[in-house]
Amino acid sequence: MTPVLTDCRVPFAHELIDLARTDERVVAVCNDSVSSSNLGEFRSLFPDRMFNVGIAEQNMVGVAAGLANAGLIPFVCAASPFLTGRATEQIKADVAYSRANVKLVGMSPGVSYGELGPTHHSIEDIAWMRALDGLPIVSPADEAQTRQAVRWAAEYHGGAFLRIGRFKVPSVSEGQSPAFHFGIANTVRHGDDVTIIASGVTVSRALAAAELLADQAISARVLNISTICPLDADTVIAAARDTGHIVVAEESVSRGGLGGAVAELLAESVPVPMRLLGVNTFAPTGSVEFLLEHFGLSPEGIAAAALELVGRG
Amino acid sequence: MTTDWWQRLHDAGPASTSDIADFATEIRRTTLVTINRAGLGHIGGDFSVTDILATLYGRVLRVDPTQPDWSDRDRFILSKGHAAVSLYSTLALSGFFPMDWLGTFTGPLSALNGHPNRNKVPGVETNTGPLGHGFPVALGCALAAELQGSERRSYVVIGDGELQEGSNWEAFMYGGHRKLSNLTAIVDRNRLQQGDRTENTNSLDPLDAKVEAFGWEARVINGHDLDALYSALTTPSDRPVAVIAETTKGKGVSFIEDRAEWHHKVPSAEQVELALQELGS
Ligand SMILES: Cc1ncc(C[n+]2csc(CCOP(=O)(O)OP(=O)(O)O)c2C)c(N)n1
Ligand SMILES: [Mg+2]
């Protein structure tokens, strides 16, 4: 049976529209990104509550802070590389430092723009945003998590960064209730020999890697980190203590990324052997699948890293 | 070794307007086939800028495809980097790299990805793709030429939607302040951006008055009139020149022209046939 795959921009838009129907404070701000953020329907339903400032990301984030200043709840929706790259200082000063209630929605993060190349890949966004004081980073891994994360963001008072993928993903939340809980990591597979820590598109790949490892009699735990900041320290520390080996698999740079976050935490608590897999150089040309494989983020690549780490590689 | 096109446009004396028209047609045909093969590209913006590229590489720029790093070459930057395939086609036809590279466009480990990379593609001056970067870099190139006492000139093509990025206006301001007469900014004024018309999104008009107010000489021309382009790009000025090239997005193929959805739609095999017929040879 082939699993149903979801482009998470679709449930994101549905949920945003649902919220907007009942809460008139909800508005959208974008940068000529109505279609790439899947907000066409939002615009037809709420034309007055959609601010498309044109191709101008710095203005976009500043405008959102001004809207929030009046009690509105702006969702800034733009391709993640341009949102987080071009408008970093607006995010720092106008949102994080000013504690403005702005929801920053980075669309199509990681290498999901494939062949469009490194200018369009958003592999640095987690590192950049994680450096900011008091800015939660949420990275849902599937449709159910996306829906709940959007609801959480609307209720949470303060700035937040959501990463919403376009690369289609299967459900990884079966049996998880709730699918998304802010600040809590989901243990999506139990195991004792090694823990694979993943987020977003790498979660289903980590699960597939765990299957491959099971064939070799290695029991892998898999954590889905949907809240990257603040990191669920209890769950990560327990995993390090229980399994003694940690592999992090993310479609972004390890330096300052999820890998960096896990390493910082464990260095001060339970230092264990680790392997940090990520997109750690500007990518060569290729499709999303090709690139994930190239950077060792295929199930086989993740399993190989785990085997090497537990001394069986 | 220079290509047939380079020989016809340069080695055999100055190119004529009809040579440039033929070159532009060949660039469009090559672009179309390359995009169709890859299943990816920005054909609307490629076709609106093609006549500008044909004029620049056919009879304006002082560059040498056999020595792409020649230090005194004119500098050209395609700031609207999503129109990469039209630039790649122009560079390949001119002999900066072999034509067969085009067949690898977007393929695994190709030198040619969706946006130009100067470290992989001869003839590319800076990596573009995020809008609003090329103009400040071209400004820097022009300042360097002035400092080094070189006659070389700098040219940049900016999308009109791209002009909504504030960085462009910072560059207009400083270019005007420095009276950089060795710098030409060409605006591909096709009145469309990704999702809609520029004037429905964040309007730019009156663009000529705006750039004049920043100290530039505005030259508003039909961006598909090859003689007008040539004259606008070569007539000297005592100020930096902004050529506002009024263009049609998707120019040359009726069903692609002036439609927002063709920003990055990929033509089917049937549509390629129709389009090649319309373009002629
Ligand atoms: C900083 C940034 N924001 C958004 C985009 C996405 N984008 C790519 S092309 C484009 C529209 C460009 O319109 P225009 O400059 O008018 O180019 P053209 O009409 O010639 O294609 C957009 C919004 C981008 N590449 N960079
Ligand atoms: Mg345009």
Side-chain angles (χ1 to χ4, degrees), chain A residues 32-33 35-36 43 52-59 82 86 113 115-120 283-287 290 294, chain B residues 40 42 106-115 120 128-133 161-162 164-165 167 193-196 201-202:
Chain A
D32 193 14
S33 51
S35 60
S36 58
R43 180 177 55 188
N52 178 2
V53 301
I55 310 169
E57 294 75 19
Q58 301 182 54
N59 194 35
F82 313 130
R86 185 66 57 88
Y113 276 118
E115 299 87 342
L116 293 186
T119 55
H120 283 54
T285 305
S287 67
F290 172 82
H294 176 87
Chain B
L40 192 139
H42 291 81
T106 71
L109 310 179
S110 171
L112 308 181
N113 78 27
H115 296 88
K120 298 190 175 163
T128 53
L131 298 166
H133 284 253
E162 180 178 14
Q164 292 160 350
E165 290 286 359
S167 53
Q193 48 194 98
Q194 181 164 303
D196 202 345
T201 308
N202 187 8

Side-chain angles (χ1 to χ4, degrees), chain B residues 32 250 252-259 261-262 265 267-268 270-276 278:
Chain B
L32 187 69
V253 177
S254 57
F255 58 90
I256 299 180
E257 284 187 2
D258 200 33
R259 283 166 216 256
E261 71 263 25
W262 277 100
K265 214 165 109 171
S268 64
E270 246 168 36
Q271 287 171 323
V272 169
E273 276 316 306
L274 284 173
L276 287 174
E278 282 195 30

Side-chain angles (χ1 to χ4, degrees), chain B:
Chain B
M1 264 289 291
T2 52
T3 59
D4 293 350
W5 276 106
W6 193 263
Q7 282 163 21
R8 174 166 163 200
L9 298 167
H10 299 271
D11 298 348
S16 68
T17 301
S18 79
D19 288 332
I20 301 296
D22 291 348
F23 187 38
T25 300
E26 193 57 27
I27 295 170
R28 285 194 174 86
R29 294 177 67 89
T30 307
T31 298
L32 187 69
V33 171
T34 302
I35 286 180
N36 178 256
R37 193 193 290 118
L40 192 139
H42 291 81
I43 204 159
D46 283 327
F47 282 8
S48 73
V49 80
T50 299
D51 294 316
I52 296 167
L53 292 175
T55 301
L56 283 167
Y57 282 87
R59 57 173 166 180
V60 175
L61 295 178
R62 286 171 47 252
V63 290
D64 180 353
T66 65
Q67 302 178 72
D69 294 334
W70 168 41
S71 60
D72 237 5
R73 67 190 180 279
D74 284 344
R75 302 301 199 263
F76 170 71
I77 294 173
L78 181 69
S79 188
K80 42 168 270 186
H82 57 283
V85 181
S86 56
L87 178 64
Y88 295 156
S89 300
T90 306
L91 291 173
L93 290 165
S94 301
F96 282 85
F97 54 84
M99 284 299 283
D100 59 16
W101 285 24
L102 295 173
T104 71
F105 171 58
T106 71
L109 310 179
S110 171
L112 308 181
N113 78 27
H115 296 88
N117 181 340
R118 73 189 288 247
N119 300 305
K120 298 190 175 163
V121 190
V124 171
E125 300 288 353
T126 189
N127 298 6
T128 53
L131 298 166
H133 284 253
F135 190 1
V137 177
L139 178 66
C141 292
L143 288 165
E146 191 182 71
L147 180 68
Q148 294 171 344
S150 166
E151 293 294 303
R152 66 179 185 263
R153 301 189 49 85
S154 299
Y155 300 83
V156 56
V157 168
I158 312 155
D160 51 357
E162 180 178 14
L163 275 186
Q164 292 160 350
E165 290 286 359
S167 53
N168 293 301
W169 299 93
E170 298 175 21
F172 270 128
M173 200 180 301
Y174 196 61
H177 172 72
R178 294 291 298 249
K179 299 190 175 56
L180 282 174
S181 57
N182 61 355
L183 176 61
T184 300
I186 304 155
V187 179
D188 184 352
R189 184 75 172 112
N190 58 29
R191 297 193 167 263
L192 281 170
Q193 48 194 98
Q194 181 164 303
D196 202 345
R197 302 212 163 263
T198 56
E199 305 308 281
N200 292 340
T201 308
N202 187 8
S203 51
L204 295 163
D205 285 336
L207 192 50
D208 52 346
K210 284 185 176 132
V211 305
E212 290 269 353
F214 279 67
W216 288 57
E217 180 184 334
R219 295 181 181 159
V220 182
I221 56 153
N222 172 348
H224 303 300
D225 176 334
L226 299 175
D227 291 318
L229 269 173
Y230 180 62
S231 146
L233 291 171
T234 51
T235 307
S237 175
D238 56 355
R239 289 177 285 162
V241 171
V243 175
I244 299 172
E246 297 186 320
T247 53
T248 301
K249 203 158 172 168
K251 173 73 179 179
V253 177
S254 57
F255 58 90
I256 299 180
E257 284 187 2
D258 200 33
R259 283 166 216 256
E261 71 263 25
W262 277 100
H263 176 70
H264 54 195
K265 214 165 109 171
V266 175
S268 64
E270 246 168 36
Q271 287 171 323
V272 169
E273 276 316 306
L274 284 173
L276 287 174
Q277 273 169 35
E278 282 195 30
L279 288 170
S281 51

Side-chain angles (χ1 to χ4, degrees), chain A residues 80 84 109-110 122-130 161 163 252:
Chain A
S80 202
T84 61
S122 198
I123 56 172
E124 305 88 355
D125 53 358
I126 294 174
W128 289 338
M129 297 298 102
R130 207 166 72 76
F161 173 50
R163 257 180 146 223
S252 46

Side-chain angles (χ1 to χ4, degrees), chain A:
Chain A
M1 206 185 74
T2 42
V4 180
L5 299 179
T6 307
D7 171 344
C8 289
R9 293 175 303 168
V10 176
F12 165 80
H14 285 165
E15 224 44 59
L16 192 66
I17 286 169
D18 267 7
L19 278 169
R21 282 189 212 281
T22 53
D23 187 341
E24 61 187 21
R25 295 170 303 167
V26 170
V27 298
V29 189
C30 63
N31 63 334
D32 193 14
S33 51
V34 178
S35 60
S36 58
S37 303
N38 195 45
L39 289 176
E41 193 183 345
F42 185 101
R43 180 177 55 188
S44 355
L45 291 168
F46 312 106
D48 303 345
R49 286 155 68 187
M50 151 76 74
F51 301 92
N52 178 2
V53 301
I55 310 169
E57 294 75 19
Q58 301 182 54
N59 194 35
M60 169 176 73
V61 173
V63 162
L67 293 165
N69 178 282
L72 298 168
I73 307 177
F75 278 75
V76 178
C77 304
S80 202
F82 313 130
L83 167 62
T84 61
R86 185 66 57 88
T88 316
E89 193 176 78
Q90 277 74 15
I91 295 174
K92 171 183 168 181
D94 312 349
V95 179
Y97 184 41
S98 298
R99 303 228 183 285
N101 191 23
V102 172
K103 315 306 164 183
L104 303 157
V105 186
M107 297 284 175
S108 311
V111 294
S112 66
Y113 276 118
E115 299 87 342
L116 293 186
T119 55
H120 283 54
H121 296 161
S122 198
I123 56 172
E124 305 88 355
D125 53 358
I126 294 174
W128 289 338
M129 297 298 102
R130 207 166 72 76
L132 299 175
D133 178 28
L135 188 75
I137 302 176
V138 167
S139 163
D142 65 6
E143 164 158 8
Q145 287 209 310
T146 300
R147 290 187 183 275
Q148 293 176 20
V150 178
R151 302 231 151 233
W152 166 81
E155 276 161 31
Y156 175 81
H157 193 82
F161 173 50
L162 261 67
R163 257 180 146 223
I164 302 292
R166 74 157 56 206
F167 187 66
K168 292 190 173 170
V169 285
S171 167
V172 291
S173 300
E174 256 103 64
Q176 303 282 331
S177 181
F180 170 78
H181 193 308
F182 176 65
I184 305 288
N186 289 359
T187 303
V188 290
R189 181 176 174 121
H190 295 279
D192 307 317
D193 299 330
V194 58
T195 300
I196 307 172
I197 296 183
S199 183
V201 307
T202 56
V203 176
S204 60
R205 290 161 179 266
L207 284 167
E211 285 292 324
L212 297 175
L213 291 166
D215 293 344
Q216 314 230 22
I218 291 181
S219 144
R221 183 178 300 188
V222 178
L223 302 184
N224 170 8
I225 306 283
S226 42
T227 307
I228 292 175
C229 193
L231 192 61
D232 178 353
D234 291 347
T235 303
V236 173
I237 288 174
R241 199 165 275 142
D242 297 347
T243 69
H245 305 92
I246 301 279
V247 175
V248 180
E250 61 184 313
E251 56 150 7
S252 46
V253 292
S254 306
R255 307 177 294 275
L258 178 59
V262 169
E264 286 165 17
L265 173 70
L266 295 181
E268 290 190 324
S269 51
V270 189
V272 293
M274 297 181 60
R275 274 297 305 277
L276 307 184
L277 302 177
V279 181
N280 287 315
T281 58
F282 290 126
T285 305
S287 67
V288 182
E289 266 310 334
F290 172 82
L291 294 178
L292 290 175
E293 165 125 30
H294 176 87
F295 287 104
L297 297 168
S298 60
E300 294 74 19
I302 298 169
L307 278 173
E308 202 188 299
L309 192 65
V310 300
R312 297 263 303 273

